[in-house]
Amino acid sequence: MVYLLISIPFGLVATWVLDSVGLHCAVVLSAWLNMVGGITRMFSVLKFLSLGSQSYWYLFVGQCFSALAQPLIIFSPTKLAALWFPDHQRATANMIASMSNPLGILIANLLSPALVPEGKHIPLMLGIYAVPAVTACALATLGIHEKVPPTPPSASATNSNSQPFFTGLKMLLRNKPYIILAVCFGGGIGMFTCFSALLEQILCEKGYSNDFAGLNGALFTVCGLLGAFLLGMYVDRTRKFIESTKISFCLSALASIMFAVASRFRHQGITLAITSSLFGFFGFAIYPIAMELAVECSYPVGEGTSTGLIFVASQIEGVILMILLQALTVRVSDDPFSTCALDQDGALDWTTPVLVLAGLCSGMACFYVIFFHTDYKRLHAEAISADMVKAEDAATAHVPES
């Protein structure tokens, strides 16, 4: 919960750091915050320190430091792609940087049960997870020397004229296409967060094991990484940002409907695995493309601001959606087929929440398809800049030598 709560207010600070201070500072700062958080968490469980009742607060402070690092690094991919890559590679670069986060989460989810067969092994896990945090901090601090590449990769990088932070915020709030994208795409991220967090509870009531729920979660992420990779390369070649996101959004909505129906029946393991894979494949594919689209429809607002506000919106929508879905659950009597860890009040029936989730996903997809239209402002500005350069070169070539 600390990650979720901190990311909302600090997300605005992170957007200012990215667009006003710079990408280099944001990456180094996030690496140091994450390292300090990882080491502090590790200290909280070391017995020889004899922290006693203070150990919880060390753990809490460590989580807070790492939570502060999260927005800085999650908002960075579009800024990285804009400053360091040409226009025909930006979507792929954004995809690789963006998808490294869910890939890391997947690896941690697979590795943690192996590292912690019993509670006494938690210090070992925290110690191992501190190693990549320290390594990343060393690489960011010592390995990154330039704020921008020696040769700008694109016209927009050459003539970087992002608006001041507060001016950019005002422009975004008056930008109708951006607001539609932020609401729909932010809601999509919120739905994905709820799906991942509640998957085990949704499936256990119908008798599916925790291992099967974990398998569905892994398929959801792995197929999502594959979908993002393929769509990122496709968009880099075709520049069809709007068409790609609209088609993927609709297909992910269909997959959510299939999952909502299949999850209400027993012995539908194959169907559920397929629908979870499709939901991830089409849903994850939207993420890096929508981030690039946010920059295109809001240019010349800074990349950190345009993508950061969408993430902040997704966190707010995710909290609201999580509360709503849990409020819609119904207590049911003990079911011999249920694999849920029962409390005194019995198991939960998730029929209404999963149907509401599918309905919201479908509604947002329809709203996005019908109402979202925009020009590719950054690409258009780059084309104009390229034409001006060609005209100047042609004029220079026709000037007679004295």
Side-chain angles (χ1 to χ4, degrees), residues 256-308:
S256 71
I257 295 172
M258 293 169 60
F259 177 85
V261 175
S263 65
R264 298 303 85 205
F265 297 94
R266 299 187 179 93
H267 312 300
Q268 298 296 320
I270 295 177
T271 304
L272 286 171
I274 292 173
T275 54
S276 295
S277 301
L278 292 174
F279 194 32
F281 184 87
F282 294 114
F284 267 84
I286 304 172
Y287 184 92
I289 309 306
M291 288 298 190
E292 285 294 305
L293 187 55
V295 177
E296 293 292 341
C297 76
S298 62
Y299 185 84
V301 176
E303 296 86 359
T305 305
S306 59
T307 56

Side-chain angles (χ1 to χ4, degrees), residues 201-213:
Q201 299 177 50
I202 292 171
L203 294 179
C204 71
E205 192 257 329
K206 294 300 180 182
Y208 298 102
S209 67
N210 291 344
D211 290 338
F212 178 74

